[in-house]
Amino acid sequence: EYDGERNSEGERHGRGKAYLPNGDTYDGEYEHGFRSGQGTYRFKNGACYTGGYLQNKKHGQGIFFYPDGSKYEGDWVDDQRHGYGRYTYANGDTYTGEWFNHNRHGQGTYIYKDTGSKYVGGWVNGNQEGEAELIHLNHRFKGKFLDGNPVGHGKYIFDIGCEQHGEYIQSEQDKGEGEEEEEPSLLVAPKWKASEITKLTLWTPHGENPPAP
C-alpha cells in the first residue's frame, strides 16, 4: 500500500508513505521507485531508522533504534554502519569511533558505564586490537591489545605518580601427561608480569625540609 507522490512513469517519486506486507512502514522520500533521500522506517519488531537512504539502502547520516533499547547514531554506507558513529548499548556502555562493514574498526573509545573505565585505541573487526590505553578511575594501562586482551609489553600509570612497567604473558593450561589435545584448550587470561616500578617524584614546597627517608 502506498500513499504519496509519483512521477509521470507512475513510479514512487517524491514524498510518500508505504505500508509493507510484513508490517513495516516507511515515511519519506522516493526517487524512481526506490527509498532515496530522507525517511523514517519503522520495523514491526519495534526497531526504527531515521536518516538517509540511497536506492532502498541506509546511506549517509542516520539513527537506528534497536528493539533491545540500544541505538546507533552516525554514518551508513550500503545498509552497513560504516564511517564514524556512536553506539549506545542496552547496558549503557558506549562506543564512539570508526566503523567498517558494520563492525567497530579503526580508532575508537569504549566507555564501560558500570565502572567508568574507558578503552581508547585500536579496533579490528569489532575486537579491541592494537595500541591503546585502558583508563580506570585511579590508574591506567598503556600498551597493546589483541582479541580484547592486553598483550606484550606495557605499563600501568597510577595517579599517585608511579609507573609499573612489565608485560602480559599468555599462560598455557597445564596438561596432564599423555592427555590428547581433543578438547580445545581453555582460554586463559594473560598474566601480568611486572619488571620495574619507576620512582615517585615527591614535590616539596619551597623552604620546607623534605621528609626524612
Side-chain angles (χ1 to χ4, degrees):
E1 225 185 298
Y2 174 73
D3 179 16
E5 300 169 0
R6 294 181 185 270
N7 61 12
S8 53
E9 280 87 61
E11 298 169 321
R12 298 174 184 187
H13 195 84
R15 279 206 68 86
K17 191 165 185 176
Y19 302 88
L20 288 85
N22 62 2
D24 297 352
T25 63
Y26 173 77
D27 187 351
E29 297 174 316
Y30 282 88
E31 271 178 38
H32 299 291
F34 292 105
R35 294 189 294 274
S36 276
Q38 292 296 306
T40 296
Y41 191 106
R42 293 181 191 280
F43 295 81
K44 193 182 171 185
N45 66 7
C48 174
Y49 170 79
T50 299
Y53 271 95
L54 183 65
Q55 295 209 316
N56 279 356
K57 292 186 170 173
K58 296 183 280 290
H59 199 92
Q61 283 278 317
I63 305 178
F64 198 115
F65 296 91
Y66 296 88
D68 65 358
S70 60
K71 75 169 179 177
Y72 171 79
E73 204 167 342
D75 297 330
W76 296 81
V77 173
D78 202 21
D79 251 355
Q80 309 251 305
R81 297 186 291 266
H82 192 100
Y84 190 87
R86 175 185 167 96
Y87 198 114
T88 305
Y89 296 86
N91 65 358
D93 291 358
T94 59
Y95 169 83
T96 307
E98 296 176 299
W99 295 79
F100 183 82
N101 287 346
H102 233 41
N103 282 319
R104 299 176 297 225
H105 190 93
Q107 291 294 307
T109 298
Y110 190 102
I111 299 173
Y112 298 87
K113 181 177 179 277
D114 282 355
T115 58
S117 297
K118 61 181 173 182
Y119 172 97
V120 183
W123 296 78
V124 175
N125 291 329
N127 292 320
Q128 296 173 344
E129 191 166 315
E131 294 282 338
E133 270 190 278
L134 191 53
I135 302 161
H136 302 291
L137 292 178
N138 59 358
H139 70 285
R140 56 201 163 99
F141 170 76
K142 197 171 183 159
K144 279 198 175 71
F145 284 74
L146 183 66
D147 274 340
N149 284 313
V151 61
H153 289 279
K155 64 180 179 179
Y156 279 92
I157 303 153
F158 295 90
D159 286 1
I160 53 170
C162 64
E163 294 182 355
Q164 187 187 64
H165 296 249
E167 64 178 311
Y168 272 98
I169 293 158
Q170 188 65 55
S171 54
E172 290 295 317
Q173 266 305 54
D174 291 334
K175 285 213 166 285
E177 291 258 340
E179 255 188 68
E180 291 292 320
E181 279 268 12
E182 273 174 21
E183 293 182 45
S185 62
L186 291 167
L187 281 175
V188 189
K191 295 245 188 321
W192 173 251
K193 186 177 171 219
S195 55
E196 61 159 337
I197 293 178
T198 56
K199 291 279 192 296
L200 203 63
T201 340
L202 280 175
W203 176 79
T204 37
H206 184 66
E208 281 186 37
N209 290 330

